Amino acid sequence: MKEEQKQPLFQHHRRRVAAFTRKKFTKPAAYVILLLLSYFFGYLSAPSSNSQYDSPPVGPRIAQNRVTQDTAAADNDHYRFTTQCGAPVPSKLVRQTILDRLFNGTSPYDNFPPAHATTLLRKKKIKGWGSNGAVFENLIRKVQPKTIIEVGTFLGASAIHMAQLASGLGLKTQILCIDDFRGWPGFRDRVRDINMVNGDVLLLYQFMQNVVHENATESVLFVPFSSGSALQQLCEWGVFGDLIEVDAGHDFHSAWSDINRAYKLLRPDGGGVIFGHDYFTSADNKGVRRAVHLFARVHGLRVQIDGQHWVIHSP
């Protein structure tokens, strides 16, 4: 019954009770009747079933507990990178594994460049940031890597530099470059002379042209996919690295994901090194640096600094 229907009815019964009580009763039955009427009127005056008090509100402590549990579950999700890596592929088979898995067993540099792209490529267009820092030679001399994985390649400046350093030290090092070779919105405003064909900015072809120009086709292979999907797939294939450079997305979430996934690919026997660029940027502790320090704290590792690069040694 709605409130507007109850109110007139309630007032009507109150008048009847008042008239009823003005009479003089000598029989006990009258008092019983009066008691029953009082109970009935009390029921009519109670809040309706559709009132705001129909369901008791959740107490502050219960609500807080729910929020805390949900937050804890969400936080834990940020630390879960649960892909199971396959059995390690011997370093001498890494190159052929990539060729078989991605390129039908043949080198992607064969018959390069295709006719339609020949006139669109620069003979050499190598552009990078921090790609020749001392950190590369320091780490390659120390680790003596058989396999290097680079996350974020662009035009191949650091990959080619590492290939030259390894060759100069007499190492037979295979370098795997992970990049979707799409750049980022507006990058052509900063890097001129990169042609576009039907929306394709030709970054992959120019990267390949740079590798060919520097005679590094035997030591530098590419994995042309997003960093997340490529790192996960290498893990499942059992392709590990002795030295891994992370230099793709520079926001916190991208760097956090890349570092966690890449760390799983360090050689299982220990002694590998993961490192990356842009430790000191205008983003300060909101980007790469925040991701690096959080990762090190979670895993009980130490962060070392070499120029603009951060370095973490695996136990």
Side-chain angles (χ1 to χ4, degrees):
M1 183 180 291
K2 296 182 180 180
E3 293 295 333
E4 60 268 26
Q5 293 174 326
K6 287 183 180 181
Q7 191 64 24
L9 181 60
F10 177 70
Q11 293 176 352
H12 171 71
H13 284 292
R14 287 189 61 183
R15 288 195 294 270
R16 292 187 62 183
V17 170
F20 190 85
T21 54
R22 282 194 294 268
K23 297 180 179 180
K24 295 182 181 180
F25 296 99
T26 58
K27 297 181 179 181
Y31 295 98
V32 173
I33 294 173
L34 181 61
L35 179 62
L36 292 174
L37 288 174
S38 298
Y39 175 83
F40 179 68
F41 297 152
Y43 168 78
L44 291 177
S45 63
S48 66
S49 60
N50 62 352
S51 73
Q52 62 178 323
Y53 302 107
D54 187 46
S55 298
V58 177
R61 180 173 297 178
I62 296 176
Q64 183 61 44
N65 288 342
R66 289 179 181 173
V67 171
T68 301
Q69 291 171 359
D70 291 343
T71 302
D75 287 344
N76 288 336
D77 286 341
H78 288 296
Y79 303 102
R80 292 174 182 168
F81 293 84
T82 57
T83 301
Q84 296 297 314
C85 294
V89 171
S91 58
K92 63 182 180 180
L93 298 180
V94 165
R95 179 181 177 83
Q96 192 60 49
T97 297
I98 299 302
L99 293 179
D100 291 342
R101 295 281 192 173
L102 297 181
F103 304 112
N104 296 324
T106 61
S107 172
Y109 297 106
D110 291 347
N111 302 314
F112 180 83
H116 75 277
T118 301
T119 60
L120 301 175
L121 302 176
R122 297 280 298 273
K123 182 178 181 180
K124 176 183 178 181
K125 177 67 176 180
I126 301 178
K127 169 68 176 177
W129 295 269
S131 302
N132 297 297
V135 65
F136 294 101
E137 184 172 0
N138 294 340
L139 292 178
I140 290 175
R141 283 185 178 277
K142 181 175 183 177
V143 178
Q144 300 280 297
K146 295 179 181 179
T147 303
I148 296 175
I149 298 175
E150 179 180 66
V151 185
T153 294
F154 198 49
L155 290 171
S158 56
I160 291 171
H161 180 57
M162 289 190 288
Q164 293 170 340
L165 288 172
S167 177
L169 294 171
L171 302 174
K172 293 184 178 180
T173 303
Q174 184 64 61
I175 302 174
L176 304 180
C177 298
I178 296 174
D179 201 303
D180 61 7
F181 295 99
R182 298 299 305 163
W184 62 90
F187 85 89
R188 295 175 75 241
D189 295 332
R190 298 183 60 185
V191 182
R192 304 293 182 179
D193 303 322
I194 298 293
N195 287 302
M196 179 184 291
V197 179
N198 298 115
D200 182 358
V201 292
L202 300 183
L203 272 179
L204 175 57
Y205 280 174
Q206 188 60 59
F207 158 81
M208 294 175 68
Q209 175 62 34
N210 294 337
V211 173
V212 169
H213 183 271
E214 298 299 325
N215 298 314
T217 57
E218 290 299 314
S219 57
V220 177
L221 268 180
F222 54 94
V223 182
F225 302 98
S226 67
S227 57
S229 61
L231 288 169
Q232 178 172 319
Q233 198 61 69
L234 292 182
C235 170
E236 293 177 358
W237 290 343
V239 176
F240 294 87
D242 308 297
L243 185 63
I244 301 179
E245 180 192 12
V246 178
D247 189 20
H250 297 136
D251 62 283
F252 168 77
H253 293 286
S254 296
W256 170 253
S257 177
D258 289 346
I259 292 170
N260 276 272
R261 294 184 187 278
Y263 188 75
K264 292 173 68 71
L265 295 183
L266 283 178
R267 62 191 189 195
D269 59 349
V273 175
I274 183 172
F275 72 111
H277 193 226
D278 293 293
Y279 182 82
F280 298 105
T281 67
S282 58
D284 195 42
N285 200 35
K286 299 177 181 178
V288 173
R289 195 189 314 177
R290 177 186 170 200
V292 170
H293 280 278
L294 178 58
F295 177 82
R297 185 164 66 248
V298 168
H299 293 275
L301 301 171
R302 178 187 174 193
V303 179
Q304 298 178 345
I305 307 303
D306 191 331
Q308 286 284 330
H309 287 75
W310 55 270
V311 179
I312 295 178
H313 294 259
S314 66

